[in-house]
Amino acid sequence: MNRRRFVQSAGIAAAFPFVLDQPAAQAEPPTTPSTPKARVLPAGEDIFGATRSLGFSHLAFKVSSSETNGNLFVLQHTGMTPGGPPLHLHHAQEEWFHVEEGEVRFQIGEKQMTLKPGDTALVPRSTPHAFSAVPGRPAKMTIAFSPAGNMEQFFLDSTHPNPTLRDAAFYGVTVLGPPLKTT
């Protein structure tokens, strides 16, 4: 049986009409503007070798948006103490949180909860949220933004000694209220 007849008789042509367009030997994988390179980053290190602080935590960039064609930005908060961002939302990014050590109090929408080591939270775009480490021992948490948008630039801007932040709209963020209080 030839390939075209097999594909048609198996019903594959309806689901994947492109399979009849080219012989299999000529099919090529899709290309991207630049293909990310695999790499390993030791624990505690920043991909750029930088030291960054937000006052309530130290930051290490783990995956740069430039490595993923803007699809992903990952950072890690270490030494987190009470304090955190104001209640805000991202217009174009989902944000994923993974608590690795300590406890972190979250507000997501109207709900408040405390995440413990191993817990994760996914905050869809346009969902109000804030977080703060719970008093006690310092917390450690990894955060991923997808797509990256200007979030990497926000953390670059905000961790300078005398930060000059742009308008929140540049970062795709709307600030809605004060930071979350933990006691």
Side-chain angles (χ1 to χ4, degrees), residues 21-34:
D21 294 342
Q22 309 182 25
Q26 293 177 1
E28 293 186 24
T31 59
T32 58
S34 64

Side-chain angles (χ1 to χ4, degrees), residues 113-138:
M113 70 228 51
T114 300
L115 276 65
K116 298 178 188 231
D119 291 344
T120 66
L122 175 65
V123 178
R125 60 189 70 193
S126 299
T127 302
H129 61 285
F131 62 85
S132 176
V134 172
R137 70 180 197 144

Side-chain angles (χ1 to χ4, degrees), residues 44-125:
E45 289 192 21
D46 178 282
I47 58 174
F48 301 114
T51 301
R52 300 178 174 83
S53 176
L54 287 174
F56 63 88
S57 75
H58 300 287
L59 297 180
F61 289 11
K62 298 300 186 175
V63 177
S64 172
S65 58
S66 64
E67 294 178 283
T68 65
N69 297 314
N71 291 313
L72 180 67
F73 170 58
V74 179
L75 62 93
Q76 187 175 58
H77 285 273
T78 58
M80 289 177 67
T81 58
L87 183 66
H88 67 285
L89 60 81
H90 302 271
H91 295 280
Q93 285 82 30
E94 272 70 44
E95 192 170 1
W96 176 81
F97 300 88
H98 176 245
V99 175
E100 299 169 61
E101 296 174 5
E103 295 182 352
V104 181
R105 185 86 178 147
F106 276 84
Q107 178 175 337
I108 301 173
E110 297 296 319
K111 291 184 167 185
Q112 287 195 17
M113 70 228 51
T114 300
L115 276 65
K116 298 178 188 231
D119 291 344
T120 66
L122 175 65
V123 178
R125 60 189 70 193

Side-chain angles (χ1 to χ4, degrees), residues 6-29:
F6 170 75
V7 168
Q8 288 171 331
S9 68
I12 295 171
F16 303 100
F18 60 84
V19 298
L20 295 177
D21 294 342
Q22 309 182 25
Q26 293 177 1
E28 293 186 24

Side-chain angles (χ1 to χ4, degrees), residues 112-171:
Q112 287 195 17
M113 70 228 51
T114 300
L115 276 65
K116 298 178 188 231
D119 291 344
T120 66
L122 175 65
V123 178
R125 60 189 70 193
S126 299
T127 302
H129 61 285
F131 62 85
S132 176
V134 172
R137 70 180 197 144
K140 180 178 178 181
M141 179 170 68
T142 297
I143 302 175
F145 296 90
S146 179
N150 286 331
M151 293 312 303
E152 182 173 350
Q153 189 62 52
F154 169 78
F155 288 102
L156 287 169
D157 292 348
S158 61
T159 56
H160 282 137
N162 297 310
T164 303
L165 295 176
R166 305 163 207 231
D167 184 75
F170 171 81
Y171 304 113

